[in-house]
Amino acid sequence: MTDTDPLEQRIIDQLDRRATDLDGATASRLNQARQAALQQLGRRRWYQPGWWMVPAASGLAVATVLAVSLGVLKPAVDVLPNDGLETRLAEFELLADDAELALLDELDFFLWVEGQMDPSDQSDPLG
Amino acid sequence: MMTSSRLMQMPTVLAEPSTGTEQLRQRVDRFLRSVERKALVMTQLRTSDPEAALDIVQDVMLAFVRRYQNKPEEQWPPLFYTALRNRITDWYRRRASRGRWLGALTSRFGGDTDSPQEDLIQQAPAAANADPAHRLADDQFGTALNGALQSLPERQREAFLLRSWQGFSTAETAAAMGCSEGSVKTHLSRATKALREQLGAYNDD
């Protein structure tokens, strides 16, 4: 088909008519949709990079430097005793053991039981 | 303390960016007005669902403003139709996915025999609406054109509508379709050949 092809022109005319002869309800909805879209103009998404990031990043950097220099963010590994891999694994097993965790939960009770026991009495206080 | 004269100056200072926004608003408004109706017709041809077509065009207008408002204006038409094509594809995927789930649930739980009838009833008012598609159906050529366009493979129909109807250049059509200019020419050639074969009887009317 060329630009002057009558069949092509007829197709285009039909499609144009369909686009221009929209019923009122459809045209109104299109208008509403366009207005809703235009409301988005100039709105910045909260995560969109912009100048606001400069003071935020600067503040974060300063806070991090201060925290490190004051020892607040001391590396956690320094807190743990450096006594080898086997000890760490044993501690891990202890922490992972549910029974031992239950013992820790009821530590106050067991301490009280121990306090009630007479050193000379070997019988079970709960028995 | 702020003097009254400085207070008077503030609206002037604040008005500068809003002027730019207003100019952008006018340009975007003009652009959307120029494309919205043809976009709706193209979407109706793809979906055969006037309600879905309206929703899709609305979504695309929102997405276009959010994503592409700062792009050069000459890029807006292909970007808009790229967004439209992607949104229509997404609509088809969701519909197919929903159909699979409904099919699975229907076969699993026996199905509801009223549902297909409800769907038909829902579609009936739409068919009675005086929308452009159904006004064209009164026209014999319009009906034949609908059938011919809908029978075209998707890429051919897209190439024809963008290149011949919308008046896009080959490069703009290629950008909107996400393919090479050579592919556009091939799709367009096949589309026009198919349309000529199907609508040839109306050529001499």
Side-chain angles (χ1 to χ4, degrees):
Chain A
M1 281 182 208
T2 64
D3 287 345
T4 55
D5 185 296
L7 181 58
E8 182 179 7
Q9 192 56 52
R10 191 168 180 188
I11 292 172
I12 290 168
D13 289 345
Q14 278 283 346
L15 292 170
D16 280 342
R17 199 185 318 156
R18 183 188 290 199
T20 53
D21 291 355
L22 290 180
D23 63 281
T26 304
S28 172
R29 283 189 59 184
L30 271 183
N31 185 47
Q32 287 174 3
R34 188 177 64 256
Q35 295 303 327
L38 290 171
Q39 298 262 325
Q40 301 294 316
L41 273 177
R43 282 192 189 172
R44 187 184 289 275
R45 284 175 284 186
W46 67 270
Y47 55 87
Q48 193 169 345
W51 286 105
W52 65 271
M53 292 184 74
V54 175
S58 304
L60 183 63
V62 169
T64 306
V65 168
L66 279 174
V68 169
S69 61
L70 294 173
V72 176
L73 291 180
K74 208 173 177 182
V77 287
D78 289 348
V79 176
L80 297 173
N82 186 15
D83 49 6
L85 180 63
E86 288 181 8
T87 309
R88 298 276 174 84
L89 286 173
E91 287 169 354
F92 180 77
E93 284 176 6
L94 172 68
L95 290 172
D97 189 338
D98 287 344
E100 297 295 343
L101 287 173
L103 175 67
L104 287 172
D105 284 344
E106 297 177 1
L107 190 58
D108 288 342
F109 171 73
F110 287 112
L111 287 172
W112 174 80
V113 169
E114 189 181 7
Q116 298 299 309
M117 288 173 66
D118 185 342
S120 59
D121 184 5
Q122 297 299 317
S123 63
D124 185 357
L126 301 175
Chain B
M1 190 174 176
M2 197 175 283
T3 63
S4 59
S5 62
R6 290 187 68 186
L7 278 172
M8 292 294 284
Q9 288 169 1
M10 282 185 67
T12 311
V13 173
L14 292 173
E16 285 176 6
S18 67
T19 304
T21 305
E22 183 53 32
Q23 286 175 350
L24 178 64
R25 188 183 189 284
Q26 287 175 4
R27 282 188 288 133
V28 174
D29 184 39
R30 197 165 49 238
F31 169 72
L32 291 178
R33 279 177 193 273
S34 72
V35 295
E36 63 189 15
R37 288 176 176 239
K38 288 187 174 181
L40 181 65
V41 172
M42 284 181 69
T43 311
Q44 284 176 343
L45 279 168
R46 280 279 324 257
T47 61
S48 303
D49 184 338
E51 278 298 312
L54 267 169
D55 288 344
I56 288 170
V57 172
Q58 176 170 359
D59 288 351
V60 172
M61 286 201 273
L62 277 169
F64 173 82
V65 170
R66 283 180 186 150
R67 291 180 198 165
Y68 303 131
Q69 57 177 282
N70 296 320
K71 294 279 184 185
E73 202 165 339
E74 63 271 15
Q75 292 181 13
W76 286 357
L79 285 172
F80 183 88
Y81 281 100
T82 301
L84 182 66
R85 184 165 55 87
N86 291 339
R87 182 67 186 82
I88 292 172
T89 305
D90 184 47
W91 180 81
Y92 266 103
R93 282 190 190 134
R94 288 183 192 200
R95 199 177 68 156
S97 175
R98 197 182 310 132
R100 277 196 298 275
W101 276 99
L102 283 175
L105 288 171
T106 304
S107 61
R108 175 76 176 78
F109 297 108
D112 182 359
T113 53
D114 290 339
S115 295
Q117 289 177 359
E118 285 173 8
D119 287 346
L120 289 175
I121 290 167
Q122 277 187 334
Q123 288 168 12
N129 280 344
D131 66 38
H134 295 94
R135 270 186 277 166
L136 272 180
D138 295 336
D139 183 326
Q140 205 176 6
F141 179 70
T143 308
L145 176 61
N146 277 351
L149 285 171
Q150 286 176 338
S151 71
L152 288 178
E154 174 50 35
R155 304 293 275 170
Q156 292 182 24
R157 179 170 59 233
E158 206 171 5
F160 179 82
L161 290 174
L162 289 174
R163 182 81 179 86
S164 297
W165 185 35
Q166 303 271 7
F168 279 22
S169 68
T170 307
E172 286 173 330
T173 308
M177 291 176 62
C179 64
S180 68
E181 293 185 31
S183 295
V184 169
K185 289 175 183 170
T186 304
H187 290 312
L188 182 63
S189 169
R190 290 176 181 166
T192 51
K193 182 172 181 287
L195 288 173
R196 190 190 298 277
E197 285 171 1
Q198 293 191 56
L199 301 171
Y202 299 92
N203 206 9
D204 298 327
D205 287 354

